[in-house]
Amino acid sequence: MPGKGVHGPLAGVRVVELAGIGPGPFAAMLLADLGADVVRVDRPGGGGLAINPEYDVTNRNKRSVVVDLKADEGPARVLDLVERADVLIEGYRPGVAERLGVGPDACHARNPKLVYGRMTGWGQEGPLAQRAGHDIAYIAITGTLGMIGNPDEPPAVPANLVGDYAGGSLYLIVGILAALHHAREHGTGQVVDAAIVDGAAHLSTMIHGMLAAGGWQDRRGANLLDGGCPFYGTYETADGGYMAVGPLEQQFYDEFTALLGLADTAPARKDLARWGELREAVAARFKDRTRDEWTAVFQDSDACVAPVLSLREAPAHPHLAARGTFTDHGGITQPAPAPRFSATPARIHSGPAQPGADTADVARDWDVPALTPASPRVTTEEDH
């Protein structure tokens, strides 16, 4: 970004983000964190996220212009940006970008090297492609949601982390970076169809292998990694807190039971018939002390035990504080950019982009003077 002091492994990469909510903005934030010049094309009247834009940190490190894609000149303004971009990200329902005049064909006619990233829940085709949906529905049909939770309770909802962000944003980013490499090697862009259902299913690859081998039961709370195992789960402490326990390997388990005070009395861990008895013994011990007391007991060990912290507590954890896993920017505590790079470190250089605030700068830096003359009119939000 000329004269902006922006660094990172993607410095020099230009990205157009057509404003949306959920996984698209998070994916664009990740590219921006890594140094890309991300221009978010906001709609007149704002988007659909019920949060003050000043606090929407998924728009950090970006710049914003406002373009009315329903106005006669709107698509042309976006295509002017596309002509100068390396990547475009959109999260509309299938066919909407085409109807607006900024679909893949129109964009590639202006810029054959463009990587056109499409972020949806259901994908670009299939019986549900035109249906509305959210994270919970996408992970529901992939079997992912059904894996999570206690066996005698409804499936536990993992916020929107597994679908929107893990199965959606991160797979979109993998696709964009791979396609960007291909475009630079071969001179041709392409469309990346990132569907949350595909990504969420892909995340369960190892589990499907275990299922086929007979090493995983197709029900909640009955397996090694889903809380069914008494030495891989969470336990309540005397003060109502929780400790996370995961000493899967024998040497770690031995240290765990010694520090817990059960080394001589715990049932054999390989005796599945006594797992219920083992769970009760572990649970009883954890109820004897508070979360902080147990944290002190295990903190210098290889027992694979950690306190379960809240969102507000996490930044103060000594390890995360030492690493700078969280940072404060503009008065907002938030996760720092990740991952880390030895030669091209990423950082937060600007707070959440405010709709339209960067129009003049982008018009100059990207040489798109037509961005500035007219004030956009307010229109209804395009369905997506």
Side-chain angles (χ1 to χ4, degrees), residues 14-29 32 36-43 46-49 51 53 56-67 78 81 87 89-92 352-359 362 366 371 381 384:
R14 285 180 167 179
V15 178
V16 174
E17 175 198 354
L18 302 184
I21 61 174
F26 185 81
M29 181 206 77
D37 183 5
V38 176
V39 171
R40 177 176 167 95
V41 180
D42 278 302
R43 308 167 189 173
L49 189 62
I51 183 176
D56 185 1
V57 292
T58 62
N59 285 327
R60 71 189 187 191
N61 288 342
K62 303 176 184 179
R63 300 194 283 179
S64 170
V65 300
V66 172
V67 175
V78 170
L81 291 169
V87 177
I89 292 175
E90 62 96 352
Y92 302 134
Q354 302 303 294
D358 308 292
T359 301
V362 172
W366 285 45
L371 282 174
E381 183 175 326
H384 73 101

Side-chain angles (χ1 to χ4, degrees), residues 58-130:
T58 62
N59 285 327
R60 71 189 187 191
N61 288 342
K62 303 176 184 179
R63 300 194 283 179
S64 170
V65 300
V66 172
V67 175
D68 183 358
L69 278 169
K70 291 184 176 179
D72 291 342
E73 73 282 359
R77 299 293 79 79
V78 170
L79 292 175
D80 287 343
L81 291 169
V82 164
E83 186 174 339
R84 295 153 176 80
D86 300 289
V87 177
L88 179 141
I89 292 175
E90 62 96 352
Y92 302 134
R93 292 198 206 190
V96 170
E98 286 84 349
R99 292 197 298 272
L100 291 171
V102 292
D105 290 346
C107 288
H108 282 140
R110 292 286 292 271
N111 181 356
K113 295 184 178 181
L114 182 75
V115 174
Y116 194 105
R118 316 198 82 164
M119 183 73 261
T120 61
W122 305 116
Q124 295 299 311
E125 67 277 323
L128 294 176
Q130 291 296 332

Side-chain angles (χ1 to χ4, degrees), residues 48-347:
L49 189 62
I51 183 176
N52 185 328
E54 295 180 4
Y55 293 92
D56 185 1
V57 292
T58 62
N59 285 327
R60 71 189 187 191
N61 288 342
K62 303 176 184 179
R63 300 194 283 179
S64 170
V65 300
V66 172
V67 175
D68 183 358
L69 278 169
K70 291 184 176 179
D72 291 342
E73 73 282 359
R77 299 293 79 79
V78 170
L79 292 175
D80 287 343
L81 291 169
V82 164
E83 186 174 339
R84 295 153 176 80
D86 300 289
V87 177
L88 179 141
I89 292 175
E90 62 96 352
Y92 302 134
R93 292 198 206 190
V96 170
E98 286 84 349
R99 292 197 298 272
L100 291 171
V102 292
D105 290 346
C107 288
H108 282 140
R110 292 286 292 271
N111 181 356
K113 295 184 178 181
L114 182 75
V115 174
Y116 194 105
R118 316 198 82 164
M119 183 73 261
T120 61
W122 305 116
Q124 295 299 311
E125 67 277 323
L128 294 176
Q130 291 296 332
R131 301 280 70 81
H134 283 296
D135 176 296
I136 193 168
Y138 309 138
I139 65 174
I141 70 163
T142 62
T144 314
L145 178 61
M147 293 169 47
I148 306 171
N150 295 323
D152 54 348
E153 298 175 2
V157 181
N160 67 335
L161 302 180
V162 174
D164 278 355
Y165 295 149
S169 304
L170 297 185
Y171 277 87
L172 176 61
I173 291 300
V174 169
I176 284 174
L177 295 180
L180 188 60
H181 173 75
H182 180 272
R184 291 183 170 181
E185 287 290 313
H186 302 285
T188 56
Q190 60 184 300
V191 176
V192 178
D193 173 10
I196 295 173
V197 291
D198 296 345
H202 196 259
L203 289 169
S204 65
T205 300
M206 182 190 76
I207 304 299
H208 276 278
M210 296 173 69
L211 184 66
W216 190 274
Q217 299 182 60
D218 196 11
R219 54 192 180 90
R220 285 191 303 284
N223 300 284
L224 187 66
L225 302 176
D226 66 355
C229 171
F231 44 93
Y232 199 87
T234 58
Y235 289 92
E236 187 176 4
T237 57
D239 58 343
Y242 287 87
M243 299 296 290
V245 170
L248 294 176
E249 294 82 359
Q250 184 66 53
Q251 68 271 29
F252 303 149
Y253 179 80
D254 290 342
E255 189 164 354
F256 165 67
T257 54
L259 290 172
L260 196 63
L262 292 177
D264 298 327
T265 59
R269 74 184 200 131
K270 293 183 179 180
D271 186 353
L272 273 62
R274 300 185 68 189
W275 267 13
E277 182 184 347
L278 176 56
R279 186 188 309 279
E280 291 178 2
V282 172
R285 286 294 294 132
F286 272 116
K287 290 287 284 187
D288 285 344
R289 300 185 188 183
T290 66
R291 189 190 67 178
D292 288 348
E293 288 172 333
W294 282 120
T295 298
V297 169
F298 288 106
Q299 66 181 1
D300 294 323
S301 76
D302 281 338
C304 303
V305 176
V308 178
L309 303 183
S310 71
L311 290 173
R312 292 192 184 278
E313 290 175 316
H317 186 278
H319 181 79
L320 303 184
R323 284 184 57 80
T325 299
F326 291 86
T327 188
D328 290 305
H329 190 278
I332 302 174
T333 300
Q334 57 197 282
R340 304 180 186 205
F341 298 84
S342 60
T344 55
R347 66 181 182 87

